[in-house]
Amino acid sequence: MRKEIEIKNQVDELARVARFVEEIGEELQLSMELQMNLNLVMEEMVSNIIFYAYPEGTEATIELAAESNDKELTFVLSDQGREFDPTLKDDADPDVNPIEREGLGGMGIYIVKNIMNQVTYQRLEGRNLLTMKKLIIDN
């Protein structure tokens, strides 16, 4: 299975991303819990691109590809925004009170790293490529 979607860097496009993840989940017969977790991961990472990768008012496209070999599901998120490697960011401390966390950020990336089995980043020909893999054999 291989699917791709191209979206604009606008918040209302997150609904299309959710439908994309739902279609994949149904096609692969993934558990509802895993589908919800994958949707959370994609929403977090796509939101980061929408809000932080481009100067305000800049229109751009974001590409999301998904591929499965029946044992593993791989998502590749690609954009031409500011270079940013989320894998280098220190993990947020989940024990810090959310009210005290304001301004610290990092919880989204922490969540993504804990849901996915592997998260890697590379900058290639002016593009950010974030690859996220999840084992799906027992889900």
Side-chain angles (χ1 to χ4, degrees), residues 88-138:
L88 296 179
K89 195 155 173 49
D90 289 337
D91 286 343
D93 184 348
D95 297 325
V96 172
N97 183 322
I99 294 169
E100 296 169 11
R101 176 179 310 287
E102 191 173 324
L104 295 177
M107 272 313 288
I109 292 165
Y110 172 82
I111 290 167
V112 170
K113 288 179 179 177
N114 280 280
I115 290 174
M116 303 307 280
N117 296 100
Q118 182 181 10
V119 180
T120 57
Y121 169 86
Q122 64 184 140
R123 181 79 176 184
L124 198 59
E125 298 176 2
R127 297 190 73 81
N128 294 304
L129 297 172
L130 186 66
T131 303
M132 300 161 283
K133 297 183 177 196
K134 181 68 178 172
L135 293 175
I136 58 171
I137 27 180
D138 292 317

Side-chain angles (χ1 to χ4, degrees), residues 23-113:
E23 288 170 10
I24 291 165
E26 288 173 0
E27 186 171 327
L28 297 176
Q29 298 180 333
L30 302 178
S31 71
M32 186 54 67
E33 179 183 4
L34 180 55
Q35 285 185 53
M36 290 171 61
N37 283 337
L38 292 173
N39 188 51
L40 178 62
V41 165
M42 294 311 128
E43 182 177 319
E44 182 61 38
M45 292 293 90
V46 172
S47 293
N48 282 351
I49 296 169
I50 290 169
F51 292 120
Y52 306 116
Y54 298 95
E56 194 170 329
T58 303
E59 286 190 24
T61 58
I62 302 165
E63 297 168 8
L64 178 58
E67 192 167 350
S68 172
N69 63 8
D70 295 327
K71 293 180 183 170
E72 187 173 61
L73 177 57
T74 302
F75 289 95
V76 178
L77 194 53
S78 173
D79 69 271
Q80 291 182 296
R82 290 185 190 100
E83 184 172 353
F84 176 68
D85 183 350
T87 66
L88 296 179
K89 195 155 173 49
D90 289 337
D91 286 343
D93 184 348
D95 297 325
V96 172
N97 183 322
I99 294 169
E100 296 169 11
R101 176 179 310 287
E102 191 173 324
L104 295 177
M107 272 313 288
I109 292 165
Y110 172 82
I111 290 167
V112 170
K113 288 179 179 177

